[in-house]
Each structure stands twice: as structure tokens, then as C-alpha cells.
Amino acid sequence: MTMRQSIRFVRDGKAVELTDIGPNDTLLDYLRLTEESRGTKEGCAEGDCGACSVAVGAINKNGQLEYQAVNSCIQLLGMLDGKEIITVDDLSRGQEALHPVQDAMVRHHGSQCGFCTPGIVMSLFTLYHKGIKADRQAINNQLAGNLCRCTGYRPIIDAALESCNGSLDDRFVQAYAATTETLNKLDDGQDVFLGTPERFFAAPASIASLAKLYSQHPDAIVVAGATDVGLWITKQLRDLPKIIHLGRVEGLDRVEDNGAELLIGAGATYAQAEDALATIDPDIAEVVRRIGSSQVRASGTIGGNIANGSPIGDSPPLLIALDARLGLEKADSKREIRLEDFFIDYGKQDRQPGEFVSYVKVPKLAKNQFLRSYKISKRFDQDISALLAAFRLTVEHNRITEARIAFGGMAATPKRAAKTEKILVGLDLADQSGWTKAAETLEQDYQPISDMRASKEYRNDVAKGLLLKALHEISHAVSDTASPETRVIGQRNNSLREAV
Amino acid sequence: MLKKIPSPAPALNVGKATKHDSADRHVRGNALYIDDIREPRGTLHLAPGYARESCGKIKSLDLDAVRSAPGVVAVLTASDIPGLNDCSPSFGGDPILADGRIEFHGQVVFAVVARSHLEARKAAKLAHIEVIAETPMVTAEDGLAREASVLPTYEFSRGSPEATIKASPLALSDSFRIGGQEHFYLEGQVSLAIPQDQGEILVHTSTQHPTEIQHLIAKMLKIRDAAVVCECRRMGGAFGGKESQAAQWACLAALASHVTGRPAKMRLDRDDDMIMTGKRHDFRCDWQAGFDETGKISAVEVDFLARCGCSADLSLGVNDRTMFHADNSYYYPENRITSHRIKTNTVSNTAFRGFGGPQGMVFSERMMDAIAIKLGLDPLDVRKTNFYGDSGRDITPFGMKVEDNILEELVGELEQTSDYRKRRQEIQAFNTRSPFLKKGLALNPLKFGISFTLKHLNQAGALVHVYTDGSVQVNHGGTEMGQGLYTKVAQVVAEEFGIDLENVQITATTTDKVPNTAPTAASSGTDLNGMAAKLAAETIKSRLIDLAAKLYQIEKSAISFANNHVQIGQQKIPFAELTQQAFLQRVSLSSTGYYATPNITWDRDSKSGRPFLYFAYGAACAEVTIDTLTGEMVIDRVDILHDVGKSLNPALDIGQIEGGFVQGMGWLTTEELVYDDQGRLRTHAPSTYKIPTASDLPDDFRVKLWDSPGNREDTIYRSKAVGEPPVMLATAVFSAITNAIASLKPGVLPQISAPATPENILAAVKLMKSGD
């Protein structure tokens, strides 16, 4: 098989080819220092403020050109292979008329100091290109990762409501066909490898190439979206000599609905998987909506969220409650394990040298199964959880026959509440007398720590509160009676699938 | 009684909702910030280095590995400083590079100068700094226990409050905390120093106070002020965080440039920025008050315990302003307001929008809520009962008479437009039927004193040039941090000359055009610089009038400027024609303008006189819902009515009000600074420190300017300052949360501190449920 020793992407309608890039080079540094396109700003260099947002164009599964905002500060340059990059400097050059998004931002007084503005413009540019009439919720979701410290957001939201209105009329729309053609030409299906065996950026094109390369370099860092690894580079200033990027692996980003379960490839981004996951339960949609920001979800993957092994990742507890299974693969073998068994201890997962996560299988809910999931954080949007709770109760004739409870942020790993689950099984949902005891049992299941996100006391208290909340909600759903309001965020339409 | 205010002539530029002068460039991404300036060839980059410890003597400093790291050109330590090693704005104690001791975690011990920013940052990690660690004072209590302070205690008192509280029919006492706040300007601290001819130095610096940095660099390098030029076109946000705290990085860039002879840039990484620069002061607040059955206060005693950090910095003015606003809008017949300025081994806290005022007001508003909850009264009624009033109830704790009070009308209007009374009833009904979610509603006033309380800072200069083609260039001492100061001043100048705004060229603030300036702070930017620019324009205009009167043999009163023309009796000539004439007739078309605020007489030592020219007023009504199972909270609706006098630019003023409110809301809700027991900041990045994001803006957000007849004082076009006051509108959110929690047990004051994070709310809820 041939191998390409360069990366190629589209800038300003033209393909750019780079042969001399380092494995740790970031897109932002390329833009600001190499190109000297300085419209794009560095605000935090950790993907949390959005000032560096740029639009990345790629051909989606339907063969359509799609733009998504990403944080260029933590995008490794090599990851942009085969993509189009659009920055604020490209929107309206020189004396050209302002882009509709820019124009609305000016007329609504959407900038004050102006430093976040390029990122906000690019974030809204991608919303504009969705071609939908954006409502407040869509705008909140798009802007969750774009911090503005001056305006209080009202004028920005108004500018977005006005400009992201479903009309599509800019020169990028006019260039869709040409850009699509250029991007398709760049998609050569070849493995990409830049550098030497000691220091490289690689983006294999097939699972076989990936498995082979990783077995040769089990010390390499595997990145999907680099939404975490990017910070090792920009914040810990670590040198990562060997990078293997998953973004070009054919088939790794599949999202399949097999009727009873979903299969999500390890390379599928949150953005690619969220619609499918949302079909299982609205609480899943809400948790995924609150993972990072639109920029993070455009790059980050559920596979990465799992493989990373963090005790505060949001998807593992949710998937554990759903009894998901994990596919692992290496050069000469494949296996499938229960997701909960993957997390052994803090920083330790059941993953062998050269082995990578290939997929996660997520069972859907049976008719008599009820899921509730809650994310608790200081700020609703784009915050890392203090804790994340997921409850799946199987109910027969008002009685709990099976309970799967998993929490993130309560232990060194995402972990089930075995003792509490045992107490719950057999409980009559119409009888609240056993609930308190079940809630108190959580303290035997978890001994959380105190950190900057929450104290252990709070984590314990709120864990109990969330179990009680889930029981209240589910008991009303089971009995099909009106529940008192239980949520300040993430309201669900209780008529959706509650009749058993 | 309000003074009669002359009604202004119809304006061409002033009062218009003109867009920010840089709006187009902001959205195009070609508004240049300092890091965007194309560096001169050979520019070097700095990164700071610091010790692991928080406090102690530096035993040894091994920088060999740093020096030999790739790309490193120089490593700067205290011994490289030829002059004064201090960048304090006030009383010293802020070494540019630590000399022998460190006083807080993150204090800069050395600076790497390298070919690239990344190389400098990587090299800075290679130092071995050995410190003989001492136990740091982390909390205000730690400092208090060791009687450590950065400044003496200061007090306002009137009457015998202690005895009066004892004698009052009712009394309350309470202690609570008010958290600090990180500025989180989106553009971090940055300076670029470029050596010039003859040993001069030009420093592009992102700062609210170019003059102070000029002076500090001169002292550090032992050169004269005249050899240093500091320039700032715009900042990517500042909020007080670039008043004194920008100096260290500018000094270090200048030092690197001095040592290497090459241009040098220092831009702080976000985490370094958050660790190394000061924040809003956090407080413990202990108070007691006496009052009657209607909630009318007889006496108040309050002790403000401020964590100032390791040095005085701007803590004098900040804490004084807390005291100046401990009354907010209320008359305290007798009072003792005591401010303790506690030293701790944490970063030196500094200016932050409101400059101590917000903390004072959070106290007064909690006291109002406490009294109302105790008495079972509507908190708004208790507030109104205590408003400043007529003679006898119009003297502040610092002796200034409140003469421009509009709160009764303003609050009355908001009470109506927000439907406050009806919603109180609806909320009560909701809380009765809702077991898990509880709502709260609060309508809080604000009164904020305008002027620097340090009298000499109330001055400004401007420089206006008119060119022969009729175009005008304006420069002044104020800096642009997003607030739209440049736009407003340009509007003023355009108004004076009767020309279109496009004909006024805005130029960067620089110490070689307008020297000896005050910081752009205390909301005073437009009041001071707008007036100075107006005076400069008036000088030129009067010369032009004299000339026209002479040339056209006409009364001066028959000459006026409008629509880019000059009306001379029946004749109308283009403005540019008259400016051409001026050159030919040898009339100067350039002038400075200088303004010093009148009528301020505050004397700190005798605690007498008038610190403020006037007060700005406003009120906000906030409705929140809390979840008593988790402590989560949403703000459902906010109504704001705010007084900007006669607005110079309603769009910019609304922007300040909305942005200020949301910033205050963040301070009191999601923004939490967490230090560990060694005084190390644990929340030093946006991943852990949470400022509001778009969804935190209430879905229902109604902001209006108070229909004002204009400032009773003769300010620039009768406008009022607007930069800081709106931050304090957010006390309504904190009060609404307090009221929501209070619904759980009528009569009991919730033990809630700021910020009201989910954790703090749930802890308060738990206490309410637990019995006592």
C-alpha cells in the first residue's frame, strides 16, 4: 500500500500541502505564526473559551459539505488532513461586504472589546451554514463554547437569531460544488505518515493499518479529537513524539442502529453520534448536549471519552447504566467486554499494549426500562461534571426488577452502585418508604473526594438527591400520573415514552 | 429637589446609537491587539518562572538547565534590574522579580527570554528553586490570627451604634462570605517592548494605565520618564485587571529589551495569567443591625474583612469604596463601618469593575433580606422604608449629602413594569405547590458614587488636531477596553465641530501625545476624557469663530457649525473651507484640552468632604428557580432600569448595563475561586473557573434606560458614568436565591455565601431542612 508523507487541506479554495510538520504542531500556531493570519485569537489554549474557533469543512456521510466550528488551539495540524479550513480572515476580505453573520453582529452591537468576536463569528458562521432557522436553544448550544466577558451575550444572540435564519447566501455556499470536488480529490484513502519512526504524525486509513502501526509503536499516543491530548501539549508542555490520529480510519466513525442496540465506532464524534443516542432517551440527548461545547463535540469522540479513562468523563457512567459493551482490537485479536469492566482503577484500564478501542455497543431500552440521567456542574453548559448520575430501572408491575446505577465523579473510575442497586431490586415504586434507605446506601458504594469542583459532602448529598429525583420521576412515569416539577434544566416531555 | 437642568440643543452625533468605532474590524478579525502586531525581526519572547511554594525565603536558584534549553537567549533575575525592582501602583511590595523571598504561589522569580514563546515556556519549567517554606496565611482568618495587614484599619462611624442596636426593638447579627472574582479578560496580559533611537523605549502594552507603566519602566531602568513611550490602541477586555496588574509584564518585556537590545514580547499563558495576577477582593462580612417592626434601621455595625493578598496594590481605594457603598441606597442613622485590610500569602488582589463597591452592596442587600425574612415582610418594602430621603435622612455614613436621589421614582417604575407584586404572589403559590423546585424574586436598587476617591486622579487631558482638509484627529488619556470610550469621545468632538463622525480620526492612547494621565477606571473615562476633548475642540472652534467673524465681518453669535458646514450669517461654507482659511491666515488648528473634576473635596484623614461628584442609580428585578435536591439554579427573568443621565450613546450604554449585569451575575453564582491549604489557586483556567456562557443569560431579559432629564451636575452632555454600576444590579440575583431558599422555612435567614454555586445553595437548603 502506498503511503503519503504530507498532509493536505483546503485554504481559500486551494489545496495546500505540507510535508514538514511536527506531531505536536497546532492549527492555531500554524494560522498565527506560519500563515500570520492573526484574526484568530488565542484566549486560553485549552479549548474552553472559543476565541480561536475556526470553521472546518468536511464531506459528511451523505456526501455533503458540512462546516463545524472547532477550537484551533487544541487541533493538531495533522488532523486537518483532507479538510477545508476557514478563519475569520477569510470571511470578507479587504473591502468586501461583511458576511451576513458579521453584518448582524455589527448592527446588534455584538462586540465590545472584540477579542472573542472572531471566534463567535466563526461559530455562528457554522450555524448559518446549517441552513436552519436557529432558535434560542440552538444558538445557546452553538455558543456554549464561546465565552464573551463584555456583552452578556444578548446582542450576540440577537445577531444570531437574525442572521442564522435558514437563508444560505454567501460565497462559501456558492463554492460548495467546487469545494466538494477539491475535498473529494484530496480523499485518496492513503495512509498518512510524516516524520521518522522516532517522531511522527500518522493518520492510517484503515483499521488494519492502524492495528499494524500501533503494534509497532505501542508507545504512541492515539488521538481522535485531541480535546484532551491537545492540553497535554499546550498546558503540560509535554512532548508527544508519536501521534496516531484516528480521523482517517475508514469505518471507524460508523454509527449503526441495529434495532435493539446502537453500534458507535470509536472514531465517531459526539456530533456524529448524538442523534442516534438521542433516540434511546431524551436524558441521553441532554447529557451529550452538555458535554463540552459544540466545538468539542465536533472533534471529541465517545471512544476517546472511554479510552481516556477519566473518572469524570460524562459518557462512561451513562453507557455503563445502559449496559454497554466495548470492542477492543489489536493487530492479531479482537475482543468485546462489558464497559464497566474496562475501568480498573484511576488511570488504569483493561487495555493491552497496541490495543485500541474500536467501538461501543449501546443496548436500547426495553419497554419496561426507564433511564434517568443528570449532570451536575457549577455552570450548566460547557463544564466538567462535579458528578454525573445515570439510573436504569427495569420495572414489572410497579416493582423494580433490575437496577443499574452508575456515577461519574464519585470514585476513581466511573463506577456502579452495587449495594444500592441491591436495595432497590424488589422495591415497590408506589411505596416511598424504602427510598431513603436506598439513597443512604449510596454512601457505602462511594467515597468521593473533595476538589475544586465540589466537596465530598456535596457529592454525597447530591447523589442521594438525584436517586430520589429519579425514583420520583420514574414512579410517576410508571403510574402515568403528573409529576411535580423536578428539574430546572433538561426538562423532558414526560408523555414521550412513559406508558408501560 | 432636583436642580433644574437646561434642556440641550438638538445633537447631531451625541445621543446616537452609533456602533463601536472598531465594530467592523472586530468582526473581520483585523482589529489589532498587541499579540497581532507584526513583530519586528528578531523579536524575543518571555515566559515567567516561579516556585512551587507559596511563602518563604529563596535558598537557592539553579537556572543552568533553563539557560541551556533550546532557543533561550537570556534569563532575567532580580539582579538584572538596574533601577527600582518594584511595580506597585501605591505603597511598594510588588517586586518585578522576587528578590530573596516569595510571598505567594505564582510570584515570578525569573523570566526566560527565548526565540519563541513555546521555547520560553518550556525552558521556564526547568528551574530548580529551593525555598525554605513557611506556613502561608491563606484565608483572611489566617492573616487576622497573625495580625497581618497590608494597610491600617479604617472606619466610618456616627452615633453610638452598639448601644442603639441593643436598645432597638429588634436586632439581627450575621456573618457571611463574599467570593472574589477573576477578571477573565479574553485577551491575556501582553506587552511588546521595542528599543528606539537614543536609548528610548516604545512599549505597546495592554493596560488601562499607560502613564503608570511609563513611570515604572523608567524607574526600573533608571532612565527618565521622557525616554519611555507607552501605547495602547485597544485591550481585549480589562475590567480593572489591567489597571495596576499590567505593569509587571510590561516591565519585564522592557527589561528583556534593555538587556538584549532586541524587541521583546511578554504574553502570559492563560493559566499563568490567572495564577499570577490579582482578582476581586473576597470578604468575610460580620454585621449587626437594630431596627423596628417596619424594618426601619436604627443602627448598623459592620466589619469587612478583606483578603488583600500579599501587598497593598490598590487595596486602599478598593476597600474605601466598599465602605462608601456599605449603605448602598439606605440611610443608617447610626453606624460603624470598619474595614480590615488583611495580608495573606496569596496573589495581591486588585481593581475589578466596581472597585470594592459591589462587596459593600452585597452586604447591604443581604441585611435588607435578613430583616425582611425575620419580620415576614416583603423585602422591597423594607428596602423602600430605608431609602435615603428628605432632609434628616440624606447624609451618608461618610458625611456626604445625597442630593440627586431618584430611587423612589426609578424603583417605583421598575416595580410596575416588572409586575413585581403580582409575581410575588404567583411565586408564593408556586412554592406552596412545588415540593422540589422553589422560586425567589427580588428587586434591588443601586446607588454608585462617581469620581475617583483619590482626588488627584480626577483629571484628564486631550489633544485635538484639525487638518486643513477638515479632518480631525483626537487623542486623549483614556484607554479603550471595549467600553466604547473612543467612540463616545469621537462623538463629542464631532458634535463640537458639527461634522460627521467619519471625519474624526481616532488614535491610540499614547504617553507621547497626552502625558500624565489617570488610569481609565472608576467609570470615569468618558466624564473626564470626553470633557477634556470637548475643551480642546472648543478652543479650536473659538479660534475658527474669531477668524470667521473677522473674515466675514459678522457677529460671532451668527456663526455655527453643523452638517460639515459652517453657518456664517446667511452664508454657509464647508467646514474644510474654513480650516483652509485658518492655515492661510496663520491660525493654529491644534489644541490640548484639560479637565479637572470640580466640586470634589474628600479628605481621607479627616473623613470629611465630598468624594463624589454625583451618584448613578439603577435597579434590577430578578426571578430564579432553585432545585432543592441538587442546589442547581436558573435565572428565569431579569428586568433592569438604569440611570445614565442623558445617554451619549444608548447602544453602548445598554451594552455596558447588560454586560455589567451578567458579569456581576457570574461573580455571585458560578464563578468560584478555590485555593488549596497552601494558598495555591486550583481554578486557574476556564475549565475550572466558570464565567457565564450564552445559556446563562435569562431567557427573559428586559433592559431599559431610565428616562432621565440629564445629570444635574454639569457633566459631558449631562450624561452619567456607566462602566461599573451595572455590575451591582446583580445583587438582585443573589437576593432572589436567598428568598427562594427562605421559602423553605419562613422567618429563618438562609446561611448562603457568595457565590451561590449549586453546592452553596444545597448546603443552605440542607440547613433549612435540618431543624434549627
Side-chain angles (χ1 to χ4, degrees), chain B residues 457-462 524 526-533 535 593-598 613 714-716:
Chain B
L457 295 179
N458 295 290
Q459 58 172 318
S524 68
T526 307
D527 281 14
L528 296 175
N529 296 288
M531 212 52 132
L535 292 168
Y594 177 80
Y595 176 72
T597 311
L613 180 60
D714 190 11
T715 52
I716 184 78

Side-chain angles (χ1 to χ4, degrees), chain B residues 418-622:
Chain B
S418 68
D419 223 354
Y420 175 82
R421 301 286 171 180
K422 185 166 157 244
R423 287 163 68 204
R424 283 282 296 185
Q425 288 178 1
E426 288 167 0
I427 280 171
Q428 203 162 25
F430 174 89
N431 287 343
T432 307
R433 70 168 184 267
S434 172
F436 305 119
L437 305 190
K438 301 288 178 187
K439 281 178 176 284
L441 180 72
L443 196 166
N444 291 12
L446 88 87
K447 161 185 134 290
F448 191 74
I450 302 299
S451 293
F452 285 100
T453 57
L454 207 55
K455 197 165 55 193
H456 71 261
L457 295 179
N458 295 290
Q459 58 172 318
L463 177 63
V464 173
H465 302 318
V466 178
Y467 294 88
T468 49
D469 70 348
S471 65
V472 176
Q473 208 181 67
V474 60
N475 195 274
H476 51 83
T479 55
E480 176 63 43
M481 60 195 94
Q483 81 278 45
L485 172 64
Y486 281 13
T487 312
K488 283 184 174 177
V489 174
Q491 284 178 272
V492 166
V493 171
E495 186 70 33
E496 285 308 307
F497 290 121
I499 57 176
D500 290 344
L501 196 54
E502 293 72 38
N503 295 332
V504 179
Q505 183 73 37
I506 288 166
T507 54
T509 308
T510 175
T511 56
D512 64 359
K513 277 200 176 133
V514 175
N516 310 323
T517 55
T520 308
S523 307
S524 68
T526 307
D527 281 14
L528 296 175
N529 296 288
M531 212 52 132
K534 183 168 188 274
L535 292 168
E538 279 175 353
T539 301
I540 298 167
K541 192 167 143 183
S542 80
R543 289 182 202 145
L544 289 172
I545 291 173
D546 288 347
L547 174 68
K550 198 177 91 188
L551 286 177
Y552 293 86
Q553 294 296 310
I554 202 163
E555 286 292 304
K556 287 184 200 171
S557 60
I559 300 167
S560 61
F561 294 70
N563 301 321
N564 304 310
H565 284 75
V566 187
Q567 191 76 43
I568 306 165
Q570 296 304 309
Q571 212 173 337
K572 197 169 165 188
I573 62 165
F575 180 68
E577 194 177 313
L578 187 58
T579 55
Q580 274 287 354
Q581 285 285 356
F583 182 69
L584 297 173
Q585 300 294 325
R586 298 189 295 168
V587 172
S588 165
L589 287 172
S590 174
S591 176
T592 59
Y594 177 80
Y595 176 72
T597 311
N599 302 332
I600 43 175
T601 57
W602 176 247
D603 180 68
R604 191 175 188 272
D605 293 334
S606 64
K607 301 171 193 171
S608 63
R610 176 187 167 107
F612 303 120
L613 180 60
Y614 62 92
F615 292 101
Y617 296 91
C621 179

Side-chain angles (χ1 to χ4, degrees), chain B residues 287 610 707:
Chain B
W287 61 271
R610 176 187 167 107
D707 186 13

Side-chain angles (χ1 to χ4, degrees), chain A residues 206-446:
Chain A
S206 67
I207 288 185
S209 300
L210 165 64
K212 188 177 163 206
L213 185 67
Y214 198 23
S215 71
Q216 288 162 351
H217 299 280
D219 56 337
I221 303 293
V222 175
V223 301
T227 57
D228 190 32
V229 171
L231 278 72
W232 304 0
I233 294 166
T234 62
K235 290 295 163 180
Q236 299 170 18
L237 299 175
R238 280 169 65 180
D239 183 51
L240 307 175
K242 300 178 180 183
I243 297 281
I244 300 174
H245 174 50
L246 302 180
R248 299 184 74 253
V249 178
E250 174 78 36
L252 201 63
D253 63 348
R254 65 198 160 140
V255 177
E256 294 167 9
D257 188 335
N258 301 331
E261 64 183 15
L262 298 178
L263 187 146
I264 298 168
T269 62
Y270 296 109
Q272 288 169 325
E274 68 187 336
D275 286 348
L277 282 166
T279 62
I280 299 180
D281 187 87
D283 275 12
I284 302 179
E286 176 68 1
V287 167
V288 175
R289 184 191 74 76
R290 285 177 60 191
I291 291 175
S293 57
S294 56
Q295 289 90 331
V296 167
R297 294 191 297 277
S299 310
T301 60
I302 289 173
N305 201 221
I306 293 167
N308 172 294
S310 165
I312 47 173
D314 281 342
S315 48
L318 183 60
L319 297 172
I320 288 171
L322 288 166
D323 200 10
R325 279 157 298 137
L326 192 67
L328 291 148
E329 189 165 343
K330 58 178 179 167
D332 47 11
S333 67
K334 292 181 187 183
R335 62 190 176 118
E336 187 175 293
I337 61 172
R338 301 181 86 175
L339 177 59
E340 62 195 87
D341 297 332
F342 180 67
F343 302 99
I344 299 167
D345 204 345
Y346 183 77
K348 191 174 174 206
Q349 296 88 41
D350 179 13
R351 191 168 62 81
Q352 291 155 20
E355 193 175 42
F356 55 90
V357 171
S358 53
Y359 62 82
V360 58
K361 276 184 190 162
V362 190
K364 294 188 183 177
L365 295 174
K367 276 225 175 318
N368 62 343
Q369 287 179 329
F370 296 83
L371 184 87
R372 289 295 184 275
S373 187
Y374 313 98
K375 174 175 171 132
I376 302 294
S377 49
K378 279 184 202 171
R379 186 176 72 195
F380 289 122
D381 279 358
Q382 208 218 179
D383 197 356
I384 293 167
S385 299
L387 68 165
L388 187 130
F391 307 91
R392 192 189 75 179
L393 302 185
T394 309
V395 181
E396 275 167 40
H397 307 297
N398 248 353
R399 221 166 263 285
I400 299 170
T401 56
E402 189 206 26
R404 292 183 64 90
I405 301 176
F407 275 88
M410 292 291 284
T413 59
K415 187 174 164 250
R416 281 180 72 182
K419 295 195 172 78
T420 309
E421 289 175 359
K422 207 171 271 174
I423 301 265
L424 284 174
V425 172
L427 278 192
D428 183 345
L429 273 174
D431 174 13
Q432 297 189 15
S433 62
W435 294 7
T436 311
K437 190 184 168 202
E440 274 162 9
T441 309
L442 283 169
E443 288 207 35
Q444 295 172 33
D445 282 312
Y446 299 109

Side-chain angles (χ1 to χ4, degrees), chain A residues 41 113 235 379 455 458 469, chain B residues 33 36 271 627 691 759:
Chain A
K41 310 302 180 203
C113 86
K235 290 295 163 180
R379 186 176 72 195
S455 69
Y458 177 70
K469 181 183 289 206
Chain B
Y33 301 82
D36 302 336
D271 292 65
D627 180 337
I691 72 167
E759 172 155 0

Side-chain angles (χ1 to χ4, degrees), chain A residues 100-113 116-117 120 124 136 139 143 148-163, chain B residues 27 650-660 662 694 697-698 701 703:
Chain A
V101 164
Q102 293 174 314
D103 181 56
M105 280 286 285
V106 169
R107 281 185 296 97
H108 287 274
H109 308 279
S111 71
Q112 285 183 25
C113 86
C116 71
T117 311
I120 286 182
L124 292 182
R136 174 76 194 270
I139 293 163
L143 290 179
C148 168
R149 192 53 151 167
C150 295
T151 64
Y153 302 100
R154 195 276 309 160
I156 298 170
I157 292 166
D158 283 351
L161 283 168
E162 186 190 283
S163 59
Chain B
V27 300
L652 297 177
D653 285 345
I654 292 270
Q656 288 299 296
I657 293 164
E658 293 176 337
V662 170
L697 180 76
F701 190 47
V703 178

Side-chain angles (χ1 to χ4, degrees), chain B residues 95-112:
Chain B
I96 297 161
L97 291 167
D99 195 1
R101 268 193 74 75
I102 54 166
E103 289 286 337
F104 71 96
H105 180 253
Q107 184 167 1
V108 184
V109 177
F110 66 94
V112 186

